[in-house]
């Protein structure tokens, strides 16, 4: 029986890795928004639910259960009701399926890890599939249909930003599960991502490198995180203001060239939408706009889009987990992990990555870290299978 469990866990790890590695191939989906990756995610989810359904809906009197209950409440009860009530042209009830799957996937993976499932195997297959797919796209089948606007590399995605989500997710998971060995593969991932010409990605890499250098050189280990924060926050803000003041024209030019004017409109209109329903949001759909609120476009920002659909508290809970994981990593001197996590968060500020399953797989890792492994490392499982 134990051998069967090992084989099942290994197979699920392989399938999850293939789903992650092929997730960016959105131009190869064959039924609307469904492709090979989505089918594999569904298969993995059904298998895990068959084993852990009762456990992921069991609650205790602790903070984790409160968080989980609210996330369930928002996705499974409030959002569907609000979507029906709103019934706007930009409402999208079909997304109830993908978000429900995502939330169930988060806690099914966490429960599986608690019982011995090793995500390291999935990350390895994520790496293999991602490398093979992009090698084919770059050197075996380099047709113009893998270019965006004729010059931005997409590797089989409909939009170059989509490959950035997965490249950055892979980088973060490699660092988490393989630590410094990940540095052997990161240069190739960075090479691919730079070919997409994503300004958000370049910014995120720049910030992650700066943060890593800062933590290694200036972070005072003998003091707490809070003490370091108050020691450095004002000097950092002062330096930032001086840089902005000195290079204001250049920064504005970069912002405009990167489509900042359009994004600024999306962000401002998204805030206006959030003000209309800050507690529960407007349900599944796209409610921001380039010109006016409720025009029917995404805000292209994780915190804003999540707040629009599910309410401000939902978005705050998600980002509490992400930032709490960064703080824990810094306190444990896991500076490399903390730096790449910050890069991941920064990219999400300029793109709506939370509509992809890969975001929620990442979220499960850091939720597990925050609530189940405060005294251990990110990957020090209860038992290894």
């Amino acid at each position: 029986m134990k051998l069967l469990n090992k084989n099942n866990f290994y197979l699920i790890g392989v399938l999850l890795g293939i789903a992650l590695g092929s997730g960016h191939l959105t131009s190869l989906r064959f039924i609307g928004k469904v492709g090979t990756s989505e089918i594999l995610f569904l298969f993995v989810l059904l298998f895990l639910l068959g084993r852990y359904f009762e456990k992921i809906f069991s609650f205790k009197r602790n903070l984790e259960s409160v968080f989980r209950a609210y996330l369930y409440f928002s996705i499974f009860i409030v959002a569907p009701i609000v979507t029906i009530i709103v019934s706007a042209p930009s409402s999208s009830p079909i997304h109830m399926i993908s978000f429900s799957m995502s939330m169930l996937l988060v806690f099914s993976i966490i429960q599986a890890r608690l019982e011995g499932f090793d995500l390291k195997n999935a990350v390895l297959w994520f790496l293999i599939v991602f490398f093979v797919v992009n090698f084919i796209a770059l050197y075996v089948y380099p047709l113009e249909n893998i270019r965006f606007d004729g010059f931005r590399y997409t590797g089989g995605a409909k939009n170059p930003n989509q490959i950035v989500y997965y490249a950055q997710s892979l980088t973060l998971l490699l660092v988490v599960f393989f630590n410094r060995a990940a540095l052997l593969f990161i240069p190739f991932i960075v090479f691919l991502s730079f070919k997409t010409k994503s300004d958000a990605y370049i910014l995120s890499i720049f910030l992650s490198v700066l943060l890593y250098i800062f933590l290694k050189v200036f972070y005072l280990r003998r003091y707490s995180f809070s003490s370091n924060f108050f020691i450095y926050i004002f000097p950092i803000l002062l330096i930032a203001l001086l840089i902005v003041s000195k290079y204001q024209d250049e920064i504005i030019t970069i912002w405009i060239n990167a489509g900042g004017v359009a994004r600024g409109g999306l962000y401002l209109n998204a805030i206006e939408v959030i003000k209309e329903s800050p507690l529960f949001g407007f349900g599944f759909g796209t409610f921001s706009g380039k010109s006016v609120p409720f025009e029917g476009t995404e805000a292209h920002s994780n915190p804003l889009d999540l707040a629009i659909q599910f309410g401000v508290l939902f978005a705050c809970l998600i980002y509490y987990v992400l930032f709490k994981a960064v703080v824990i990593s810094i306190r444990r001197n896991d500076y490399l992990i903390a730096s790449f996590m910050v890069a991941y968060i920064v990219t999400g500020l300029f793109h709506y990555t939370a509509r992809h399953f890969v975001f929620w797989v990442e979220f499960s890792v850091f939720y597990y870290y925050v609530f189940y492994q405060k005294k251990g490392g990110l990957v020090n499982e209860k038992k290894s299978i």
Side-chain angles (χ1 to χ4, degrees):
M1 186 65 180
K2 288 185 177 180
L3 180 60
L4 179 61
N5 286 338
K6 289 182 180 179
N7 289 337
N8 286 343
F9 271 144
Y10 179 80
L11 177 60
I12 289 302
V14 172
L15 294 179
L16 180 58
I18 296 173
L20 290 166
S22 59
H24 70 282
L25 300 175
T26 52
S27 65
L28 301 181
R29 289 171 175 169
F30 41 81
I31 305 176
K33 294 185 179 297
V34 178
T36 302
S37 176
E38 288 71 28
I39 291 174
L40 289 175
F41 273 120
L42 177 60
F43 183 86
V44 169
L45 176 61
L46 291 175
F47 175 85
L48 295 178
L49 284 178
R51 298 175 65 116
Y52 306 120
F53 183 83
E54 291 185 8
K55 291 183 178 181
I56 67 173
F57 282 97
S58 298
F59 300 93
K60 299 177 181 178
R61 294 182 179 179
N62 57 28
L63 182 61
E64 186 281 323
S65 288
V66 173
F67 267 59
R68 181 156 43 98
Y70 188 81
L71 295 177
Y72 285 165
F73 177 67
S74 298
I75 296 296
F76 300 133
I77 298 176
V78 175
I81 293 174
V82 172
T83 302
I84 293 172
I85 294 174
V86 172
S87 295
S90 56
S91 294
S92 181
I94 191 67
H95 281 100
M96 179 173 65
I97 298 174
S98 60
F99 274 102
S100 297
M101 285 178 59
S102 296
M103 195 57 56
L104 292 172
L105 188 65
V106 169
F107 295 104
S108 295
I109 290 175
I110 289 173
Q111 187 59 45
R113 292 186 69 191
L114 289 172
E115 300 195 13
F117 176 51
D118 190 351
L119 261 180
K120 192 172 185 178
N121 179 43
V123 176
L124 179 61
W125 279 96
F126 185 0
L127 173 68
I128 293 170
V129 173
F130 191 79
F131 270 30
V132 169
V133 167
N134 281 282
F135 179 83
I136 293 172
L138 277 170
Y139 302 112
V140 180
Y141 194 65
L143 298 181
E144 286 305 309
N145 63 359
I146 63 167
R147 300 287 187 271
F148 185 76
D149 291 338
F151 69 97
R152 294 182 66 186
Y153 176 71
T154 65
K158 289 182 178 179
N159 187 293
N161 293 323
Q162 291 168 348
I163 194 172
V164 169
Y165 310 156
Y166 285 85
Q168 204 156 46
S169 297
L170 175 58
T171 302
L172 182 55
L173 289 173
L174 284 171
V175 170
V176 167
F177 287 93
F178 292 90
N179 206 274
R180 296 188 182 279
L183 298 176
L184 296 174
F185 306 103
I186 288 176
F188 176 72
I189 299 173
V190 172
F191 164 74
L192 284 175
S193 300
F194 272 116
K195 289 179 74 66
T196 67
K197 298 182 177 7
S198 169
D199 298 295
Y201 180 78
I202 295 172
L203 173 63
S204 69
I205 291 296
F206 178 72
L207 289 177
S208 65
V209 172
L210 279 183
L211 178 60
Y212 181 74
I213 294 174
F214 171 80
L215 292 173
K216 291 291 288 185
V217 176
F218 298 105
Y219 189 77
L220 305 173
R221 297 187 183 186
R222 64 181 179 274
Y223 296 120
S224 67
F225 175 84
S226 299
S227 298
N228 274 274
F229 178 82
F230 286 111
I231 289 172
Y232 287 114
I233 184 63
F234 293 109
I236 289 174
L237 288 176
L238 178 61
I239 293 172
L241 286 173
L242 290 174
I243 292 174
V244 171
S245 176
K246 182 174 178 61
Y247 299 102
Q248 181 178 357
D249 294 337
E250 291 83 353
I251 292 173
I252 292 174
T253 300
I254 293 172
W255 176 252
I256 293 174
N257 291 338
V261 175
R263 287 187 179 276
L266 288 171
Y267 300 157
L268 292 174
N269 289 326
I271 293 172
E272 293 302 315
V273 173
I274 292 170
K275 288 179 181 178
E276 295 293 323
S277 181
L279 188 57
F280 297 123
F282 286 89
F284 305 106
T286 53
F287 302 99
S288 186
K290 294 181 179 179
S291 303
V292 294
F294 300 102
E295 197 173 34
T297 59
E298 296 174 350
H300 290 281
S301 172
N302 276 340
L304 292 177
D305 278 302
L306 290 174
I308 286 173
Q309 294 185 79
F310 310 117
V312 173
L313 181 56
F314 182 93
C316 287
L317 292 183
I318 297 297
Y319 273 83
Y320 168 83
V321 172
L322 296 179
F323 281 111
K324 181 67 173 179
V326 173
V327 173
I328 292 173
S329 297
I330 293 174
R331 285 173 175 165
R332 288 183 45 79
N333 301 324
D334 291 329
Y335 299 149
L336 194 63
I337 293 174
S339 299
F340 279 100
M341 183 56 185
V342 169
Y344 188 79
I345 293 173
V346 168
T347 298
L349 298 178
F350 301 100
H351 298 291
Y352 187 27
T353 62
R355 56 189 170 90
H356 293 262
F357 289 125
V358 67
F359 174 88
W360 298 101
V361 173
E362 297 275 1
F363 181 72
S364 77
V365 172
F366 289 93
Y367 192 98
Y368 183 93
Y369 191 33
V370 170
F371 289 108
Y372 293 99
Q373 234 172 267
K374 288 184 179 179
K375 295 181 181 179
L378 265 172
V379 296
N380 186 24
E381 306 290 349
K382 181 178 179 182
K383 58 181 179 177
S384 180
I385 289 184

